[in-house]
């Protein structure tokens, strides 16, 4: 994940991605990178924020359940082979492929960027992302439902490299966890750092309460006795994720106009805070002990670098660049 903003993850990242990584770490050899160079595409003019933000993201990986002894947890910039492979892959990637990537087009349009404002790095983002994956000769990449398409270009670049120089890279397959839901943000849109609608793992219990209080419910439910529509109510949707056993009763009451939104919000706050409290405590401990966190990141970078060196040896041999 990219350490943009403060670097703290939100509950969409937690439920839509991290929980799945935590499950996968028992069955796969995993490389969990905080991609701080990618954050430069938007934070190039405030680079001093990226280092601290990357530590927040790493702390959230661990607080959310990734075990630094089991998988490699590291920063992209601590393993410079990401840059070397990016350069080599950039030579075999047609610009046309990059210009057609939907996220590139979306970003250009939503940020209203003209030709002068689009950096070479923003266009090349998928090439760096491909290097991040191929550097570990990964067979599988866990992605959210919304992200499966992002992997297509990585597969194409891997195919092209293999055709030109011989089989070095497996084609990485997307591992999509069917159980993960898209978590709605407080305003009903998808929860995202960039929409200002997120509940962060760094939010205190009081901040969570205030945010849940501000969440959209059912527009036509003005009084307690008006029927709600749980399927489109943010509070009901979050309740379903965090109270999978018990949410149905509250949904039925909501539908029948037997409960007010304030009650639903109070209950959700309690359920959420109970689930998030251990994560909050762990992330605070980790961030309070920078030496320990740096040691974890160093260990991760060492594991990653060992694998990366092997791959780069194979790449240089295949390309006959000694
Ligand atoms: P953001 O939109 O907040 O910047 P990213 O696009 O960096 O989040 O996503 C990081 C990871 O978290 C991805 O695997 C993505 O699929 C997942 N993710 C992000 N937002 C959500 C959400 N609202 N619901 C479920 N998963 C999400």
């Amino acid at each position: 994940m990219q350490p943009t903003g403060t670097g703290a993850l939100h509950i969409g990242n937690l439920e839509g991605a991290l929980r799945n990584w935590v499950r996968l770490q028992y069955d796969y050899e995993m490389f969990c990178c905080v991609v701080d160079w990618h954050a430069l595409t938007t934070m190039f003019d405030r680079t001093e924020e990226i280092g601290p933000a990357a530590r927040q993201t790493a702390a959230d990986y661990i607080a959310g359940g990734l075990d630094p002894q089991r998988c490699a947890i590291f920063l992209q910039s601590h393993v410079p082979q990401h840059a070397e492979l990016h350069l080599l892959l950039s030579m075999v990637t047609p610009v046309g492929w990059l210009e057609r990537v939907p996220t590139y087009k979306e970003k250009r349009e939503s940020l209203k960027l003209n030709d002068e404002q689009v950096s070479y790095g923003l266009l090349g983002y998928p090439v760096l992302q491909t290097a991040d994956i191929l550097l570990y000769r990964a067979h599988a990449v866990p992605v959210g439902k919304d992200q499966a398409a992002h992997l297509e270009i990585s597969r194409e670049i891997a195919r092209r490299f293999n055709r030109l120089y011989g089989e070095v890279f497996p084609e990485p397959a997307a591992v999509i966890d069917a159980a993960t839901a898209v978590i709605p943000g407080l305003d009903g849109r998808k929860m995202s750092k960039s929409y200002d609608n997120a509940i962060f793992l760094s939010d205190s219990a009081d901040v969570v309460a205030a945010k849940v209080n501000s969440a959209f419910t059912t527009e036509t439910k003005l009084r307690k006795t008006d029927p709600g529509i749980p399927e489109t109510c943010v509070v009901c949707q979050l309740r379903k994720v965090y109270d999978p056993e018990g949410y149905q009763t509250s949904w039925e009451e909501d539908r029948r106009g037997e409960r007010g939104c304030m009650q639903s919000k109070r209950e959700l706050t309690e359920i959420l805070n109970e689930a998030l409290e251990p994560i909050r405590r762990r992330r605070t401990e980790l961030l309070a002990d920078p030496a320990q966190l740096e040691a974890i990141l160093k260990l991760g970078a060492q594991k990653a670098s060992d694998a990366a060196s092997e791959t780069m040896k194979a790449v240089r041999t295949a390309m006959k660049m000694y």
Side-chain angles (χ1 to χ4, degrees), residues 1-2 4 9-18 21 125 142-147 150 180-185 189-195 198 200:
M1 295 198 227
Q2 243 196 85
T4 42
L9 300 185
H10 56 66
I11 62 172
N13 303 138
L14 174 67
E15 303 303 335
L18 188 56
W21 300 5
Y125 190 108
V143 292
K145 278 191 198 111
D146 53 330
Q147 288 190 317
H150 297 191
T180 60
V182 172
I183 304 296
R189 293 186 290 173
K190 180 189 145 173
M191 185 174 287
S192 170
K193 246 184 289 206
S194 35
Y195 294 157
F200 291 97

Side-chain angles (χ1 to χ4, degrees), residues 83-298:
E84 183 183 357
L85 186 57
H86 166 255
L87 175 109
L88 297 175
L89 296 178
S90 77
M91 301 298 171
V92 301
T93 305
V95 171
W97 289 5
L98 299 172
E99 283 170 338
R100 279 195 297 274
V101 171
T103 38
Y104 168 71
K105 287 201 278 191
E106 276 160 32
K107 209 169 245 170
R108 265 199 86 149
E109 281 157 27
S110 70
L111 300 175
K112 298 194 172 54
L113 302 175
N114 62 37
D115 281 348
E116 286 293 305
Q117 290 165 316
V118 172
S119 71
Y120 173 54
L122 181 67
L123 178 67
Y125 190 108
V127 186
L128 183 55
Q129 186 170 290
T130 300
D132 300 336
I133 296 167
L134 299 188
L135 191 53
Y136 303 100
R137 285 186 272 189
H139 291 85
V141 184
V143 292
K145 278 191 198 111
D146 53 330
Q147 288 190 317
H150 297 191
L151 216 57
E152 206 34 58
I153 189 159
S154 298
R155 296 162 58 83
E156 280 177 54
I157 295 172
R159 272 199 289 275
R160 186 157 228 229
F161 184 98
N162 289 343
R163 221 173 22 244
L164 281 163
Y165 307 115
E167 289 286 323
V168 173
F169 300 118
E171 270 180 46
V175 179
I176 302 164
D177 177 17
T180 60
V182 172
I183 304 296
L186 302 165
D187 58 3
R189 293 186 290 173
K190 180 189 145 173
M191 185 174 287
S192 170
K193 246 184 289 206
S194 35
Y195 294 157
D196 195 23
N197 66 356
I199 294 175
F200 291 97
L201 303 185
S202 55
D203 289 340
S204 68
D206 289 345
V207 170
V208 171
K211 285 188 174 176
V212 169
N213 253 326
S214 76
F216 283 26
T217 53
T218 301
E219 216 178 333
T220 50
K221 183 171 166 61
L222 303 174
R223 280 174 296 262
K224 182 179 161 184
T225 49
D226 292 335
I229 309 168
E231 288 75 12
T232 54
C233 163
V234 170
V235 174
C236 297
Q237 289 300 316
L238 293 177
R239 171 94 182 230
K240 184 178 172 188
V241 174
Y242 282 90
D243 181 20
E245 313 281 302
Y247 78 95
Q248 268 144 336
T249 315
S250 68
W251 274 38
E252 286 315 312
E253 287 170 4
D254 187 58
R255 246 195 269 281
R256 291 196 297 262
E258 288 170 5
R259 62 157 53 224
C261 295
M262 286 318 295
Q263 182 190 347
S264 296
K265 287 177 170 178
R266 258 196 320 273
E267 291 172 3
L268 175 65
T269 298
E270 209 165 289
I271 292 168
L272 259 181
N273 274 330
E274 199 183 309
L276 298 180
E277 188 48 39
I279 300 179
R280 251 186 323 244
R281 204 173 324 120
R282 184 82 181 104
R283 80 186 305 282
T284 308
E285 283 165 11
L286 284 158
L287 291 166
D289 188 351
Q292 189 204 359
L293 189 55
E294 292 314 307
I296 290 173
L297 293 177
K298 195 168 164 204

